[in-house]
Amino acid sequence: MPAGASMDVIILDAHPVEDVRIERHITYLADQGVNVCRIHYNYPDEVARPGLFSQHGVQGFRINRFFFQGKMRTLYFMGYCLTRKILADCCKALKALDVDPAQPSILHVHDPLLLPLARQLVNSHLPNSRVVYDRHEVYEQWVHFGAISIPVFYENLAKKRISGTVTVSEHYIDAVHSLFPGSSVVAVPNYASAVVYDSRAIDEKISSTVPGPQIHALYIGSLNNLADRDVDLLLTIADASIQAYDNVIFTIGGTSLDEGSREKIEEMVAKHNGRFRFLGYVPRERTIELTEKAHIGFLLVRPDARYWVKTSPNKIFEYLVCGTIPIVRADIDHEERLRECSLIFDRTDANEAITRAVLDLLGNAARLKECMGRAKDISGDYTWESVACRYIELYAALLQSENPPGILHTKTPRTLGGCDHR
């Protein structure tokens, strides 16, 4: 019998429907026999249809909320999350998903804005449920409107109802436990799921890396230079690389463009005649395919970003499993180990030095091939399959606890080990 058989889990989120962490989460739960469903709050995507939908064999219900544009739409959604209307909408979704309100279950929240909803659900509709909060970011450093962290504001509204908290890095277990003292805390890092990728194609790419064939550079993600991503540096490196080497092709995709970045990207497309490609939004399946073919991939955070914290990025571990060399300026987990196959820079490193290091790497086919092979080898130590079981172990501990929701679970283990694949 699968580990999660007879366990009910309700996912609440407002992320893009193809968010990698949530996709891995729900797929793993379904594979383990968990009765899982997803209630997805959508406010950026006007194309997505509301109501029942299915993703990777998991049933979901989408609730669309958009009447404005830009920042006004985001502020409207934030306000909606504090109203009773969100509870009524969620109850309709639960009914459509045929959820038994009396059945003990886990409410797994992936967005801080939905924590007040989880609190309302436990108080009025799902009295036998436990709230688990997946804390994707270090929100106490995410300050807006002077000295206020909006995510932490929502966390504080519901923290007494949170029975379990999941962080993406072992580095933050103690800090998160102090923020949610009534919560059992575990780390489930953003490692890549090895089974998703074509290992044979990746090995073939690595073995065929010699001077002459095309070298593919890739970045797919946020392109907002006004937030924390250094789009200017990315484009500087792209321009210099294409001019220095006839066989280098840069592919960039993503959304959230600020107007300045959009103009610069359009100029690069026109300037480099097919060797600089901008794809806009890229579906998850296409992202996997492009990353498998890439030789180097980027994650560049602006050195002046206020949000400079240690992270466990999906992108880095996807690069590793694809044998794609990470080019990083950020504070990342496992930095010392990843230096064996990556170029990793600090916020104090000059843009010129970073650009020169990338050009030197691209001009050294032997080193390029060696680092790609190391990346693929190292990825075996950072797999989703080795940590995903911590979700079910946490759920089981909370559901077996005799304490009612909202009461301290201090006897529940704060950390859990790896998964047994024997």
Side-chain angles (χ1 to χ4, degrees):
M1 180 178 294
S6 75
M7 186 180 293
D8 292 342
V9 176
I10 303 162
I11 305 294
L12 301 177
D13 80 278
H15 273 63
V17 71
E18 291 183 333
D19 179 84
V20 179
R21 184 172 177 87
I22 297 175
E23 176 184 306
R24 285 195 303 253
H25 181 192
I26 63 174
T27 302
Y28 174 77
L29 294 182
D31 288 345
Q32 295 301 308
V34 174
N35 182 26
V36 57
C37 63
R38 179 181 183 183
I39 298 179
H40 177 229
Y41 288 84
N42 168 47
Y43 65 98
D45 183 359
E46 295 192 22
V47 177
R49 298 181 61 179
L52 290 170
F53 71 98
S54 180
Q55 182 187 23
H56 305 292
V58 174
Q59 193 173 29
F61 191 96
R62 181 176 295 110
I63 299 170
N64 288 344
R65 301 300 301 180
F66 34 72
F67 295 106
F68 302 103
Q69 296 294 327
K71 291 182 179 179
M72 284 300 298
R73 175 175 291 183
T74 302
L75 290 171
Y76 162 75
F77 183 75
M78 289 166 54
Y80 164 73
C81 290
L82 294 173
T83 67
R84 299 289 294 184
K85 169 65 173 167
I86 192 172
L87 176 62
D89 289 343
C90 189
C91 288
K92 292 178 182 177
L94 291 170
K95 185 175 182 180
L97 292 167
D98 198 27
V99 173
D100 181 357
Q103 180 71 19
S105 63
I106 295 292
L107 280 172
H108 194 118
V109 181
H110 274 277
D111 293 84
L113 273 65
L114 299 178
L115 286 171
L117 168 62
R119 180 188 62 182
Q120 293 181 64
L121 286 168
V122 173
N123 288 343
S124 65
H125 195 70
L126 301 173
N128 296 317
S129 295
R130 299 287 194 270
V131 176
V132 171
Y133 171 38
D134 213 304
R135 200 172 198 251
H136 293 204
E137 309 287 349
V138 186
Y139 290 122
E140 57 270 30
Q141 301 294 325
W142 218 16
V143 177
H144 301 277
F145 306 114
I148 299 174
S149 170
I150 297 300
V152 171
F153 166 76
Y154 283 87
E155 289 175 347
N156 286 334
L157 289 177
K159 68 189 326 178
K160 292 182 179 179
R161 279 293 185 186
I162 298 173
S163 298
T165 309
V166 180
T167 179
V168 296
S169 171
E170 302 276 357
H171 180 79
Y172 293 110
I173 286 179
D174 289 337
V176 169
H177 195 267
S178 67
L179 291 169
F180 304 95
S183 171
S184 300
V185 183
V186 298
V188 182
N190 275 321
Y191 299 159
S193 179
V195 298
V196 173
Y197 304 90
D198 186 343
S199 182
R200 180 179 300 180
I202 294 165
D203 289 339
E204 184 177 333
K205 172 190 69 175
I206 295 170
S207 64
S208 63
T209 299
V210 294
Q214 294 177 343
I215 299 297
H216 290 275
L218 178 72
Y219 173 75
I220 297 174
S222 171
L223 290 167
N224 191 338
N225 204 54
L226 302 179
D228 67 333
R229 299 303 164 94
D230 200 334
V231 180
D232 286 344
L233 176 57
L234 179 68
L235 297 181
T236 296
I237 294 172
D239 191 45
S241 301
I242 292 171
Q243 293 190 62
Y245 302 104
D246 292 337
N247 62 341
V248 172
I249 295 177
F250 253 79
T251 301
I252 292 177
T255 55
S256 304
L257 278 79
D258 61 277
E259 193 56 37
S261 295
R262 184 185 300 277
E263 292 177 359
K264 292 175 183 177
I265 288 173
E266 290 173 353
E267 291 174 2
M268 287 283 288
V269 171
K271 177 180 180 180
H272 289 298
N273 191 29
R275 294 180 57 203
F276 181 91
R277 303 184 297 182
F278 174 59
L279 305 181
Y281 167 74
V282 183
R284 177 66 187 145
E285 293 78 8
R286 179 62 172 153
T287 299
I288 292 172
E289 178 184 344
L290 289 168
T291 309
E292 289 174 345
K293 294 179 179 178
H295 297 80
I296 64 173
F298 292 85
L299 176 65
L300 304 174
V301 175
R302 287 176 51 187
D304 59 345
R306 296 175 67 184
Y307 187 68
W308 182 282
V309 295
K310 188 172 288 295
T311 58
S312 174
N314 285 306
K315 195 173 301 298
I316 295 297
F317 299 106
E318 181 165 60
Y319 288 155
L320 293 181
V321 77
C322 288
T324 299
I325 302 172
I327 313 296
V328 183
R329 180 163 68 184
D331 186 4
I332 59 171
D333 273 355
H334 315 293
E335 177 179 332
E336 290 306 314
R337 180 76 191 286
L338 267 56
R339 283 187 181 277
E340 297 177 21
C341 64
S342 312
L343 297 183
I344 301 180
F345 304 94
D346 191 64
R347 67 195 307 181
T348 59
D349 291 312
N351 288 358
E352 294 78 10
I354 297 173
T355 302
R356 171 48 54 190
V358 175
L359 293 178
D360 290 345
L361 174 64
L362 291 173
N364 188 334
R367 185 183 174 206
L368 195 71
K369 184 173 183 177
E370 180 183 8
C371 288
M372 291 166 63
R374 285 183 183 176
K376 177 77 171 354
D377 291 342
I378 287 173
S379 71
D381 294 334
Y382 305 106
T383 65
W384 172 254
E385 289 78 11
S386 70
V387 296
C389 62
R390 297 178 186 178
Y391 277 129
I392 290 180
E393 292 175 7
L394 175 62
Y395 298 161
L398 296 179
L399 290 172
Q400 291 167 10
S401 171
E402 295 180 358
N403 292 328
I407 302 299
L408 299 187
H409 297 271
T410 53
K411 293 183 180 180
T412 304
R414 290 176 52 233
T415 59
L416 298 168
C419 305
D420 186 357
H421 293 290
R422 292 175 296 176

